[in-house]
mmCIF file of all heavy atoms in Angstrom:
data_model
loop_
_atom_site.group_PDB
_atom_site.id
_atom_site.type_symbol
_atom_site.label_atom_id
_atom_site.label_comp_id
_atom_site.label_asym_id
_atom_site.label_seq_id
_atom_site.Cartn_x
_atom_site.Cartn_y
_atom_site.Cartn_z
ATOM 1 N N ARG W 1 -74.795 27.073 -46.598
ATOM 2 C CA ARG W 1 -74.943 26.291 -47.805
ATOM 3 C C ARG W 1 -73.613 26.249 -48.482
ATOM 4 O O ARG W 1 -72.805 27.048 -48.417
ATOM 5 C CB ARG W 1 -76.046 26.846 -48.660
ATOM 6 C CG ARG W 1 -75.704 28.170 -49.195
ATOM 7 C CD ARG W 1 -76.872 28.809 -49.973
ATOM 8 N NE ARG W 1 -76.550 30.127 -50.619
ATOM 9 C CZ ARG W 1 -76.335 31.255 -50.085
ATOM 10 N NH1 ARG W 1 -76.557 31.290 -48.671
ATOM 11 N NH2 ARG W 1 -76.002 32.279 -50.626
ATOM 12 N N VAL W 2 -73.442 25.072 -49.250
ATOM 13 C CA VAL W 2 -72.168 24.931 -50.010
ATOM 14 C C VAL W 2 -72.188 25.878 -51.229
ATOM 15 O O VAL W 2 -73.212 25.962 -51.868
ATOM 16 C CB VAL W 2 -72.069 23.450 -50.419
ATOM 17 C CG1 VAL W 2 -70.967 23.194 -51.286
ATOM 18 C CG2 VAL W 2 -72.031 22.518 -49.225
ATOM 19 N N GLY W 3 -71.064 26.474 -51.420
ATOM 20 C CA GLY W 3 -70.910 27.276 -52.540
ATOM 21 C C GLY W 3 -70.074 26.517 -53.535
ATOM 22 O O GLY W 3 -70.586 25.552 -54.249
ATOM 23 N N ARG W 4 -68.700 26.712 -53.547
ATOM 24 C CA ARG W 4 -67.967 26.027 -54.583
ATOM 25 C C ARG W 4 -67.117 24.910 -53.780
ATOM 26 O O ARG W 4 -66.899 24.982 -52.617
ATOM 27 C CB ARG W 4 -66.929 26.971 -55.215
ATOM 28 C CG ARG W 4 -67.661 27.990 -55.985
ATOM 29 C CD ARG W 4 -66.694 29.130 -56.418
ATOM 30 N NE ARG W 4 -66.227 29.933 -55.310
ATOM 31 C CZ ARG W 4 -65.355 30.919 -55.406
ATOM 32 N NH1 ARG W 4 -64.794 31.183 -56.551
ATOM 33 N NH2 ARG W 4 -64.925 31.636 -54.372
ATOM 34 N N ARG W 5 -66.612 23.987 -54.630
ATOM 35 C CA ARG W 5 -65.703 23.021 -54.130
ATOM 36 C C ARG W 5 -64.311 23.213 -54.960
ATOM 37 O O ARG W 5 -64.398 23.428 -55.998
ATOM 38 C CB ARG W 5 -66.214 21.675 -54.368
ATOM 39 C CG ARG W 5 -67.445 21.258 -53.539
ATOM 40 C CD ARG W 5 -68.086 19.926 -53.801
ATOM 41 N NE ARG W 5 -69.369 19.760 -53.197
ATOM 42 C CZ ARG W 5 -69.555 19.457 -51.981
ATOM 43 N NH1 ARG W 5 -68.563 19.287 -51.190
ATOM 44 N NH2 ARG W 5 -70.821 19.360 -51.469
ATOM 45 N N PHE W 6 -63.224 22.999 -54.188
ATOM 46 C CA PHE W 6 -61.896 23.270 -54.756
ATOM 47 C C PHE W 6 -61.264 21.856 -54.636
ATOM 48 O O PHE W 6 -60.631 21.667 -53.633
ATOM 49 C CB PHE W 6 -61.195 24.359 -54.163
ATOM 50 C CG PHE W 6 -61.927 25.674 -54.111
ATOM 51 C CD1 PHE W 6 -62.879 26.076 -53.180
ATOM 52 C CD2 PHE W 6 -61.844 26.515 -55.252
ATOM 53 C CE1 PHE W 6 -63.550 27.262 -53.197
ATOM 54 C CE2 PHE W 6 -62.494 27.685 -55.362
ATOM 55 C CZ PHE W 6 -63.425 28.098 -54.351
ATOM 56 N N GLY W 7 -61.220 21.105 -55.592
ATOM 57 C CA GLY W 7 -60.645 19.744 -55.566
ATOM 58 C C GLY W 7 -61.388 18.914 -54.516
ATOM 59 O O GLY W 7 -62.617 19.191 -54.215
ATOM 60 N N GLY W 8 -60.715 18.002 -53.871
ATOM 61 C CA GLY W 8 -61.374 17.254 -52.849
ATOM 62 C C GLY W 8 -61.025 17.667 -51.445
ATOM 63 O O GLY W 8 -61.342 17.030 -50.411
ATOM 64 N N ASP W 9 -60.328 18.878 -51.347
ATOM 65 C CA ASP W 9 -59.809 19.257 -49.982
ATOM 66 C C ASP W 9 -60.362 20.580 -49.371
ATOM 67 O O ASP W 9 -59.989 21.013 -48.335
ATOM 68 C CB ASP W 9 -58.330 19.407 -49.988
ATOM 69 C CG ASP W 9 -57.611 17.944 -50.162
ATOM 70 O OD1 ASP W 9 -58.281 17.003 -49.697
ATOM 71 O OD2 ASP W 9 -56.669 17.775 -50.865
ATOM 72 N N VAL W 10 -61.256 21.306 -50.164
ATOM 73 C CA VAL W 10 -61.755 22.574 -49.749
ATOM 74 C C VAL W 10 -63.249 22.682 -50.179
ATOM 75 O O VAL W 10 -63.570 22.506 -51.320
ATOM 76 C CB VAL W 10 -60.906 23.735 -50.403
ATOM 77 C CG1 VAL W 10 -61.500 25.078 -49.793
ATOM 78 C CG2 VAL W 10 -59.404 23.660 -49.953
ATOM 79 N N VAL W 11 -63.982 23.141 -49.219
ATOM 80 C CA VAL W 11 -65.381 23.485 -49.413
ATOM 81 C C VAL W 11 -65.693 24.856 -48.930
ATOM 82 O O VAL W 11 -65.290 25.253 -47.852
ATOM 83 C CB VAL W 11 -66.383 22.506 -48.731
ATOM 84 C CG1 VAL W 11 -67.836 22.900 -48.912
ATOM 85 C CG2 VAL W 11 -66.227 21.101 -49.309
ATOM 86 N N GLU W 12 -66.354 25.634 -49.822
ATOM 87 C CA GLU W 12 -66.791 27.003 -49.453
ATOM 88 C C GLU W 12 -68.138 26.967 -48.924
ATOM 89 O O GLU W 12 -69.068 26.286 -49.557
ATOM 90 C CB GLU W 12 -66.719 27.830 -50.767
ATOM 91 C CG GLU W 12 -67.133 29.273 -50.647
ATOM 92 C CD GLU W 12 -67.248 30.039 -51.966
ATOM 93 O OE1 GLU W 12 -67.955 29.514 -52.917
ATOM 94 O OE2 GLU W 12 -66.553 30.988 -52.060
ATOM 95 N N LEU W 13 -68.346 27.602 -47.836
ATOM 96 C CA LEU W 13 -69.744 27.683 -47.209
ATOM 97 C C LEU W 13 -70.210 29.084 -47.275
ATOM 98 O O LEU W 13 -69.370 30.026 -46.948
ATOM 99 C CB LEU W 13 -69.708 27.214 -45.829
ATOM 100 C CG LEU W 13 -69.277 25.704 -45.568
ATOM 101 C CD1 LEU W 13 -69.260 25.366 -44.044
ATOM 102 C CD2 LEU W 13 -70.340 24.815 -46.324
ATOM 103 N N LEU W 14 -71.436 29.351 -47.722
ATOM 104 C CA LEU W 14 -72.036 30.574 -47.793
ATOM 105 C C LEU W 14 -73.164 30.727 -46.921
ATOM 106 O O LEU W 14 -73.769 29.778 -46.393
ATOM 107 C CB LEU W 14 -72.492 30.960 -49.235
ATOM 108 C CG LEU W 14 -71.342 30.708 -50.368
ATOM 109 C CD1 LEU W 14 -71.905 30.740 -51.824
ATOM 110 C CD2 LEU W 14 -70.243 31.738 -50.211
ATOM 111 N N GLY W 15 -73.576 31.936 -46.680
ATOM 112 C CA GLY W 15 -74.786 32.310 -45.774
ATOM 113 C C GLY W 15 -74.402 33.096 -44.584
ATOM 114 O O GLY W 15 -75.352 33.635 -43.945
ATOM 115 N N ALA W 16 -73.066 33.296 -44.378
ATOM 116 C CA ALA W 16 -72.732 34.262 -43.354
ATOM 117 C C ALA W 16 -72.300 35.523 -44.070
ATOM 118 O O ALA W 16 -72.259 35.554 -45.302
ATOM 119 C CB ALA W 16 -71.505 33.603 -42.485
ATOM 120 N N THR W 17 -71.856 36.515 -43.283
ATOM 121 C CA THR W 17 -71.513 37.794 -44.032
ATOM 122 C C THR W 17 -70.191 37.599 -44.678
ATOM 123 O O THR W 17 -69.759 38.375 -45.514
ATOM 124 C CB THR W 17 -71.384 38.929 -42.984
ATOM 125 O OG1 THR W 17 -70.576 38.517 -41.868
ATOM 126 C CG2 THR W 17 -72.785 39.309 -42.501
ATOM 127 N N SER W 18 -69.349 36.631 -44.384
ATOM 128 C CA SER W 18 -68.098 36.315 -45.008
ATOM 129 C C SER W 18 -68.123 34.815 -45.352
ATOM 130 O O SER W 18 -68.634 34.036 -44.521
ATOM 131 C CB SER W 18 -66.930 36.565 -44.117
ATOM 132 O OG SER W 18 -66.763 37.995 -43.875
ATOM 133 N N PRO W 19 -67.532 34.436 -46.456
ATOM 134 C CA PRO W 19 -67.469 33.004 -46.767
ATOM 135 C C PRO W 19 -66.506 32.258 -45.835
ATOM 136 O O PRO W 19 -65.579 32.828 -45.300
ATOM 137 C CB PRO W 19 -66.888 33.007 -48.161
ATOM 138 C CG PRO W 19 -66.305 34.322 -48.470
ATOM 139 C CD PRO W 19 -66.972 35.295 -47.545
ATOM 140 N N ILE W 20 -66.878 31.071 -45.550
ATOM 141 C CA ILE W 20 -66.211 30.193 -44.646
ATOM 142 C C ILE W 20 -65.630 28.977 -45.537
ATOM 143 O O ILE W 20 -66.362 28.454 -46.222
ATOM 144 C CB ILE W 20 -66.976 29.685 -43.506
ATOM 145 C CG1 ILE W 20 -67.466 30.816 -42.673
ATOM 146 C CG2 ILE W 20 -66.215 28.674 -42.691
ATOM 147 C CD1 ILE W 20 -68.518 30.444 -41.657
ATOM 148 N N TYR W 21 -64.327 28.720 -45.374
ATOM 149 C CA TYR W 21 -63.646 27.702 -46.198
ATOM 150 C C TYR W 21 -63.298 26.560 -45.207
ATOM 151 O O TYR W 21 -62.592 26.750 -44.215
ATOM 152 C CB TYR W 21 -62.490 28.146 -46.867
ATOM 153 C CG TYR W 21 -62.922 29.150 -48.003
ATOM 154 C CD1 TYR W 21 -62.978 30.517 -47.753
ATOM 155 C CD2 TYR W 21 -63.277 28.620 -49.294
ATOM 156 C CE1 TYR W 21 -63.454 31.371 -48.698
ATOM 157 C CE2 TYR W 21 -63.720 29.557 -50.203
ATOM 158 C CZ TYR W 21 -63.810 30.897 -50.018
ATOM 159 O OH TYR W 21 -64.171 31.868 -50.846
ATOM 160 N N LEU W 22 -63.796 25.381 -45.430
ATOM 161 C CA LEU W 22 -63.415 24.219 -44.727
ATOM 162 C C LEU W 22 -62.213 23.619 -45.468
ATOM 163 O O LEU W 22 -62.353 23.340 -46.672
ATOM 164 C CB LEU W 22 -64.528 23.126 -44.692
ATOM 165 C CG LEU W 22 -65.838 23.631 -44.003
ATOM 166 C CD1 LEU W 22 -66.924 22.575 -44.095
ATOM 167 C CD2 LEU W 22 -65.593 24.104 -42.509
ATOM 168 N N LEU W 23 -61.116 23.339 -44.717
ATOM 169 C CA LEU W 23 -59.877 22.935 -45.318
ATOM 170 C C LEU W 23 -59.552 21.567 -44.751
ATOM 171 O O LEU W 23 -59.362 21.420 -43.541
ATOM 172 C CB LEU W 23 -58.779 23.842 -45.117
ATOM 173 C CG LEU W 23 -58.944 25.455 -45.383
ATOM 174 C CD1 LEU W 23 -57.804 26.227 -44.946
ATOM 175 C CD2 LEU W 23 -59.262 25.648 -46.829
ATOM 176 N N ARG W 24 -59.473 20.558 -45.630
ATOM 177 C CA ARG W 24 -59.115 19.240 -45.125
ATOM 178 C C ARG W 24 -57.580 19.277 -44.861
ATOM 179 O O ARG W 24 -56.710 19.468 -45.654
ATOM 180 C CB ARG W 24 -59.364 18.140 -46.145
ATOM 181 C CG ARG W 24 -59.070 16.754 -45.633
ATOM 182 C CD ARG W 24 -59.148 15.610 -46.699
ATOM 183 N NE ARG W 24 -60.068 15.806 -47.753
ATOM 184 C CZ ARG W 24 -61.309 15.217 -47.679
ATOM 185 N NH1 ARG W 24 -61.658 14.395 -46.743
ATOM 186 N NH2 ARG W 24 -62.156 15.411 -48.687
ATOM 187 N N LYS W 25 -57.280 18.997 -43.475
ATOM 188 C CA LYS W 25 -55.853 18.943 -43.082
ATOM 189 C C LYS W 25 -55.859 17.787 -42.098
ATOM 190 O O LYS W 25 -56.517 17.713 -41.150
ATOM 191 C CB LYS W 25 -55.450 20.193 -42.336
ATOM 192 C CG LYS W 25 -55.556 21.505 -43.118
ATOM 193 C CD LYS W 25 -54.544 21.605 -44.251
ATOM 194 C CE LYS W 25 -54.619 22.936 -44.943
ATOM 195 N NZ LYS W 25 -53.574 23.137 -45.904
ATOM 196 N N ALA W 26 -54.967 16.838 -42.347
ATOM 197 C CA ALA W 26 -54.847 15.625 -41.533
ATOM 198 C C ALA W 26 -54.476 16.013 -40.123
ATOM 199 O O ALA W 26 -53.603 16.762 -39.864
ATOM 200 C CB ALA W 26 -53.877 14.693 -42.132
ATOM 201 N N ALA W 27 -54.998 15.175 -39.167
ATOM 202 C CA ALA W 27 -54.559 15.306 -37.838
ATOM 203 C C ALA W 27 -53.054 14.897 -37.692
ATOM 204 O O ALA W 27 -52.693 14.012 -38.444
ATOM 205 C CB ALA W 27 -55.472 14.377 -36.905
ATOM 206 N N GLY W 28 -52.369 15.603 -36.937
ATOM 207 C CA GLY W 28 -50.934 15.280 -36.779
ATOM 208 C C GLY W 28 -50.065 15.927 -37.849
ATOM 209 O O GLY W 28 -48.816 15.928 -37.843
ATOM 210 N N SER W 29 -50.668 16.606 -38.798
ATOM 211 C CA SER W 29 -49.898 17.286 -39.897
ATOM 212 C C SER W 29 -49.367 18.544 -39.315
ATOM 213 O O SER W 29 -49.936 19.142 -38.363
ATOM 214 C CB SER W 29 -50.712 17.568 -41.144
ATOM 215 O OG SER W 29 -51.828 18.418 -40.871
ATOM 216 N N ALA W 30 -48.266 19.098 -39.896
ATOM 217 C CA ALA W 30 -47.621 20.214 -39.446
ATOM 218 C C ALA W 30 -48.558 21.530 -39.514
ATOM 219 O O ALA W 30 -49.186 21.697 -40.602
ATOM 220 C CB ALA W 30 -46.274 20.565 -40.173
ATOM 221 N N ALA W 31 -48.631 22.313 -38.575
ATOM 222 C CA ALA W 31 -49.491 23.447 -38.510
ATOM 223 C C ALA W 31 -48.905 24.562 -39.406
ATOM 224 O O ALA W 31 -49.650 25.433 -39.864
ATOM 225 C CB ALA W 31 -49.717 24.000 -37.066
ATOM 226 N N GLY W 32 -47.638 24.499 -39.671
ATOM 227 C CA GLY W 32 -46.850 25.461 -40.508
ATOM 228 C C GLY W 32 -45.483 25.212 -40.560
ATOM 229 O O GLY W 32 -44.889 24.441 -39.720
ATOM 230 N N GLU W 33 -44.726 25.768 -41.518
ATOM 231 C CA GLU W 33 -43.364 25.513 -41.671
ATOM 232 C C GLU W 33 -42.476 25.987 -40.576
ATOM 233 O O GLU W 33 -41.597 25.331 -40.071
ATOM 234 C CB GLU W 33 -42.813 26.093 -42.962
ATOM 235 C CG GLU W 33 -43.311 25.463 -44.184
ATOM 236 C CD GLU W 33 -42.715 26.123 -45.432
ATOM 237 O OE1 GLU W 33 -41.635 26.719 -45.383
ATOM 238 O OE2 GLU W 33 -43.382 26.046 -46.522
ATOM 239 N N ALA W 34 -42.900 27.118 -39.914
ATOM 240 C CA ALA W 34 -42.114 27.671 -38.765
ATOM 241 C C ALA W 34 -42.791 27.496 -37.467
ATOM 242 O O ALA W 34 -42.327 28.046 -36.511
ATOM 243 C CB ALA W 34 -41.929 29.185 -39.029
ATOM 244 N N ILE W 35 -43.712 26.470 -37.412
ATOM 245 C CA ILE W 35 -44.522 26.287 -36.016
ATOM 246 C C ILE W 35 -44.259 24.803 -35.725
ATOM 247 O O ILE W 35 -44.394 23.913 -36.536
ATOM 248 C CB ILE W 35 -45.969 26.539 -36.285
ATOM 249 C CG1 ILE W 35 -46.179 27.909 -36.747
ATOM 250 C CG2 ILE W 35 -46.767 26.186 -35.081
ATOM 251 C CD1 ILE W 35 -47.607 28.217 -37.187
ATOM 252 N N ALA W 36 -43.813 24.561 -34.460
ATOM 253 C CA ALA W 36 -43.537 23.302 -34.040
ATOM 254 C C ALA W 36 -44.782 22.442 -33.725
ATOM 255 O O ALA W 36 -44.779 21.164 -33.563
ATOM 256 C CB ALA W 36 -42.618 23.315 -32.824
ATOM 257 N N GLN W 37 -45.921 23.139 -33.683
ATOM 258 C CA GLN W 37 -47.162 22.299 -33.359
ATOM 259 C C GLN W 37 -47.738 21.550 -34.598
ATOM 260 O O GLN W 37 -47.477 21.957 -35.703
ATOM 261 C CB GLN W 37 -48.253 23.265 -32.928
ATOM 262 C CG GLN W 37 -48.017 24.062 -31.622
ATOM 263 C CD GLN W 37 -49.069 25.026 -31.314
ATOM 264 O OE1 GLN W 37 -49.401 25.843 -32.126
ATOM 265 N NE2 GLN W 37 -49.438 24.978 -30.037
ATOM 266 N N THR W 38 -48.473 20.501 -34.255
ATOM 267 C CA THR W 38 -49.191 19.794 -35.239
ATOM 268 C C THR W 38 -50.693 19.905 -35.023
ATOM 269 O O THR W 38 -51.136 20.272 -33.904
ATOM 270 C CB THR W 38 -48.763 18.269 -35.221
ATOM 271 O OG1 THR W 38 -48.993 17.749 -33.860
ATOM 272 C CG2 THR W 38 -47.279 18.131 -35.576
ATOM 273 N N ARG W 39 -51.487 19.624 -35.999
ATOM 274 C CA ARG W 39 -52.893 19.792 -35.993
ATOM 275 C C ARG W 39 -53.461 18.700 -34.935
ATOM 276 O O ARG W 39 -53.058 17.543 -35.163
ATOM 277 C CB ARG W 39 -53.533 19.753 -37.304
ATOM 278 C CG ARG W 39 -53.298 20.855 -38.132
ATOM 279 C CD ARG W 39 -53.939 20.794 -39.437
ATOM 280 N NE ARG W 39 -53.643 22.002 -40.229
ATOM 281 C CZ ARG W 39 -52.645 22.307 -40.959
ATOM 282 N NH1 ARG W 39 -51.618 21.392 -40.979
ATOM 283 N NH2 ARG W 39 -52.450 23.395 -41.596
ATOM 284 N N ASP W 40 -54.309 19.091 -34.079
ATOM 285 C CA ASP W 40 -54.915 18.299 -33.128
ATOM 286 C C ASP W 40 -56.428 18.643 -33.069
ATOM 287 O O ASP W 40 -56.710 19.829 -32.804
ATOM 288 C CB ASP W 40 -54.205 18.444 -31.763
ATOM 289 C CG ASP W 40 -54.777 17.436 -30.742
ATOM 290 O OD1 ASP W 40 -55.949 16.969 -30.879
ATOM 291 O OD2 ASP W 40 -54.150 17.384 -29.700
ATOM 292 N N TYR W 41 -57.312 17.746 -33.334
ATOM 293 C CA TYR W 41 -58.764 18.033 -33.407
ATOM 294 C C TYR W 41 -59.492 17.732 -32.169
ATOM 295 O O TYR W 41 -60.752 17.703 -32.111
ATOM 296 C CB TYR W 41 -59.306 17.453 -34.623
ATOM 297 C CG TYR W 41 -58.735 18.035 -35.888
ATOM 298 C CD1 TYR W 41 -57.900 17.337 -36.742
ATOM 299 C CD2 TYR W 41 -59.005 19.392 -36.258
ATOM 300 C CE1 TYR W 41 -57.400 17.855 -37.916
ATOM 301 C CE2 TYR W 41 -58.431 19.963 -37.363
ATOM 302 C CZ TYR W 41 -57.646 19.201 -38.176
ATOM 303 O OH TYR W 41 -57.082 19.809 -39.326
ATOM 304 N N ARG W 42 -58.701 17.533 -31.080
ATOM 305 C CA ARG W 42 -59.438 17.445 -29.744
ATOM 306 C C ARG W 42 -59.808 18.851 -29.402
ATOM 307 O O ARG W 42 -59.183 19.883 -29.949
ATOM 308 C CB ARG W 42 -58.504 16.844 -28.696
ATOM 309 C CG ARG W 42 -58.250 15.355 -28.936
ATOM 310 C CD ARG W 42 -57.221 14.795 -27.953
ATOM 311 N NE ARG W 42 -55.932 15.600 -28.200
ATOM 312 C CZ ARG W 42 -54.932 15.330 -27.482
ATOM 313 N NH1 ARG W 42 -54.891 14.579 -26.535
ATOM 314 N NH2 ARG W 42 -53.805 16.103 -27.719
ATOM 315 N N ARG W 43 -60.513 19.024 -28.281
ATOM 316 C CA ARG W 43 -60.878 20.461 -27.907
ATOM 317 C C ARG W 43 -59.678 21.175 -27.529
ATOM 318 O O ARG W 43 -58.860 20.695 -26.837
ATOM 319 C CB ARG W 43 -61.940 20.438 -26.801
ATOM 320 C CG ARG W 43 -62.302 21.812 -26.314
ATOM 321 C CD ARG W 43 -63.075 22.590 -27.375
ATOM 322 N NE ARG W 43 -63.550 23.850 -26.905
ATOM 323 C CZ ARG W 43 -63.129 25.071 -27.298
ATOM 324 N NH1 ARG W 43 -62.140 25.122 -28.235
ATOM 325 N NH2 ARG W 43 -63.519 26.151 -26.873
ATOM 326 N N HIS W 44 -59.510 22.377 -28.209
ATOM 327 C CA HIS W 44 -58.317 23.210 -27.913
ATOM 328 C C HIS W 44 -58.862 24.677 -27.836
ATOM 329 O O HIS W 44 -59.895 25.071 -28.286
ATOM 330 C CB HIS W 44 -57.303 23.124 -29.057
ATOM 331 C CG HIS W 44 -57.865 23.406 -30.384
ATOM 332 N ND1 HIS W 44 -58.509 22.409 -31.175
ATOM 333 C CD2 HIS W 44 -57.887 24.531 -31.125
ATOM 334 C CE1 HIS W 44 -58.936 22.999 -32.306
ATOM 335 N NE2 HIS W 44 -58.676 24.201 -32.312
ATOM 336 N N TRP W 45 -58.052 25.501 -27.229
ATOM 337 C CA TRP W 45 -58.361 26.920 -27.023
ATOM 338 C C TRP W 45 -57.482 27.754 -27.884
ATOM 339 O O TRP W 45 -56.281 27.508 -28.062
ATOM 340 C CB TRP W 45 -58.227 27.278 -25.484
ATOM 341 C CG TRP W 45 -58.663 28.735 -25.301
ATOM 342 C CD1 TRP W 45 -59.953 29.187 -25.020
ATOM 343 C CD2 TRP W 45 -57.854 29.914 -25.494
ATOM 344 N NE1 TRP W 45 -59.993 30.478 -24.869
ATOM 345 C CE2 TRP W 45 -58.706 31.031 -25.154
ATOM 346 C CE3 TRP W 45 -56.568 30.230 -25.713
ATOM 347 C CZ2 TRP W 45 -58.173 32.294 -25.239
ATOM 348 C CZ3 TRP W 45 -56.115 31.379 -25.762
ATOM 349 C CH2 TRP W 45 -56.947 32.510 -25.534
ATOM 350 N N THR W 46 -58.064 28.755 -28.478
ATOM 351 C CA THR W 46 -57.346 29.776 -29.187
ATOM 352 C C THR W 46 -58.156 31.067 -28.859
ATOM 353 O O THR W 46 -59.264 31.156 -28.720
ATOM 354 C CB THR W 46 -57.301 29.529 -30.618
ATOM 355 O OG1 THR W 46 -56.611 30.616 -31.324
ATOM 356 C CG2 THR W 46 -58.595 29.315 -31.296
ATOM 357 N N GLY W 47 -57.350 32.147 -28.972
ATOM 358 C CA GLY W 47 -57.967 33.529 -28.776
ATOM 359 C C GLY W 47 -58.809 33.988 -29.868
ATOM 360 O O GLY W 47 -59.479 34.973 -29.807
ATOM 361 N N VAL W 48 -58.689 33.360 -30.986
ATOM 362 C CA VAL W 48 -59.442 33.731 -32.230
ATOM 363 C C VAL W 48 -60.553 32.599 -32.437
ATOM 364 O O VAL W 48 -60.181 31.474 -32.432
ATOM 365 C CB VAL W 48 -58.524 33.694 -33.501
ATOM 366 C CG1 VAL W 48 -59.322 34.038 -34.704
ATOM 367 C CG2 VAL W 48 -57.418 34.759 -33.191
#
């Protein structure tokens, strides 16, 4: 269930043992300042 909203770019979801935050981040945007990768929302693998 939705908890709080933080502006138009973050939604807090409750109902799990920890809150989950959905963060609006554009496809193709930089994943981080020191990371060469960009965000890609096709199926991807991560160990986490």
